[in-house]
Amino acid sequence: MTLLSDITNETIRAEIEEFVERPEEIKRLVDLFSQAEPIMQAIAATVIEGEHHETDRLTASALNDGFEALEIMDDGLIGGMGLVGIKFRENFIFVPEVLACARAMKAGMAHIDPILSASGIDPVGKVVMGTVKGDLHDIGKNLCIMMLQGSGFDVIDLGVDVSPDDFIDAIENSGSKLLGMSALLTTTVPNMGRTIEAFIDADLRDDVEIMVGGAPVTQEFADDMGADGYGKDALDCVATARRLLGIETAV
Ligand code: B1M
């Protein structure tokens, strides 16, 4: 069993102690950070503190020291953002602070992106990606895009707050057979279903495979709204994209 005292980084320890109350969340964070390298804990701490210059510096330094981009992303950047999410939910911090944390995460991801995206091979498939109407969250979508690009996909990124019509236009104009939608708000998840209905109304549903993802989305929601696939994280997004396009090789 891992203990809070197993976490070597003082900031992370203090943050968990002060701000996290749910036992299952304490356990998840203690498990993650007690096993994470000190440099990953330090990177996570800079995301939590919104110190984007430090995130930038430490991410570059970790890569320089030979740590894998994926490890830095999962244990450092996403790990830190997980704690930020809990503080935001419990009203310990508010939108300006979260934006500072998101900026720090982006500063780290600027180093990770080219590594995950560098494939140098012919595209294995084309995918249109966007965050649905009413939703401005793009960190998770961008991670998925990086992983897709790193796996050889040509990605058309429509950004955030994308209407059903814009999704349809992008599919028609690009000739892509795969659409990926992201949503982070429970109130915007239904817009995924509305987009799927718009494809049915436009008589285009049979021409496109549709995958969905985002923290509030589940396999059950995906099935209910008539999506073809669901990805729980960025790796799963790639696996789902490959499955839906009939690309055999495992990632
Ligand atoms: Co927002 N926000 N936010 N926020 N925000 C959440 C989502 C929230 C859970 C926080 C909370 O209360 N705990 C909550 C939603 C509650 C709910 O709906 N149940 C919330 C809220 C309420 C809001 C506002 C309404 C706050 C307000 O204004 N009062 C507002 C809404 C604005 C809008 O969208 N219209 C808002 C605003 C913001 C910021 C602008 C401050 C900022 C966004 C910055 C940005 O994205 N550029 C922000 C942030 C950063 C968050 C949290 C803290 C972090 C989200 C994140 O980036 N996670 C978030 C709390 C949380 O989730 N813990 C929260 C890290 C990211 C790597 O994970 O996005 O889940 P995620 O992506 C994962 C998977 O889900 C999956 O792969 C990714 C990588 O593993 N995935 C896919 C994602 N898309 C996929 C697609 C796929 C497959 C997999 O296939 C196509």
Side-chain angles (χ1 to χ4, degrees):
M1 194 181 112
T2 51
L3 300 169
L4 188 65
S5 54
D6 295 332
I7 298 174
T8 51
N9 186 289
E10 241 175 76
T11 305
I12 302 276
R13 250 192 350 253
E15 288 273 333
I16 295 176
E17 209 161 27
E18 186 169 356
F19 298 114
V20 189
E21 282 169 2
R22 296 183 188 174
E24 72 281 7
E25 289 181 339
I26 295 175
K27 181 179 179 321
R28 182 170 53 75
L29 290 168
V30 169
D31 283 351
L32 170 72
F33 288 120
S34 61
Q35 282 156 36
E37 295 283 344
I39 182 82
M40 303 305 154
Q41 299 180 38
I43 290 171
T46 64
V47 171
I48 293 164
E49 291 173 325
E51 295 284 349
H52 65 99
H53 290 303
E54 275 301 282
T55 316
D56 175 59
R57 190 183 65 77
L58 288 178
T59 304
S61 156
L63 285 169
N64 225 6
D65 291 345
F67 288 102
E68 293 287 337
L70 266 182
E71 182 181 356
I72 299 171
M73 186 174 93
D74 286 342
D75 293 358
L77 302 169
I78 297 182
M81 196 46 108
L83 222 154
V84 172
I86 292 169
K87 288 168 74 179
F88 188 35
R89 182 190 68 211
E90 305 298 338
N91 293 324
F92 288 119
I93 55 172
F94 300 95
V95 171
E97 288 97 329
V98 179
L99 281 177
C101 301
R103 186 175 180 197
M105 174 143 187
K106 279 187 177 165
M109 275 162 44
H111 295 279
I112 306 292
D113 187 1
I115 296 169
L116 297 185
S117 303
S119 64
I121 48 168
D122 285 341
V124 296
K126 196 185 276 183
V127 50
V128 169
M129 291 280 289
T131 301
V132 292
K133 185 85 197 145
D135 201 319
L136 304 177
H137 296 85
D138 66 357
I139 296 174
K141 168 188 70 67
N142 292 345
L143 282 177
C144 290
I145 289 176
M146 279 183 218
M147 296 299 290
L148 285 164
Q149 288 171 332
S151 307
F153 283 87
D154 179 8
V155 182
I156 297 156
D157 180 11
L158 301 183
V160 297
D161 193 21
V162 182
S163 69
D165 284 349
D166 287 342
F167 278 122
I168 289 177
D169 286 350
I171 288 292
E172 284 195 300
N173 295 335
S174 67
S176 168
K177 302 276 175 234
L178 179 60
L179 169 67
M181 288 188 279
S182 183
L184 260 287
L185 299 170
T186 44
T187 49
T188 57
V189 172
N191 290 339
M192 293 175 150
R194 289 185 190 114
T195 304
I196 295 175
E197 277 162 27
F199 272 89
I200 296 171
D201 294 344
D203 213 13
L204 289 170
R205 182 64 184 95
D206 293 340
D207 298 348
V208 65
E209 299 289 332
I210 299 182
M211 60 177 180
V212 292
V217 184
T218 60
Q219 181 69 59
E220 203 183 346
F221 281 150
D223 293 342
D224 284 352
M225 67 178 80
D228 302 300
Y230 159 71
K232 71 173 184 325
D233 56 30
L235 274 179
D236 209 21
C237 174
V238 175
T240 305
R242 298 180 77 98
R243 180 174 60 74
L244 293 176
L245 290 183
I247 302 162
E248 299 271 319
T249 337
V251 183

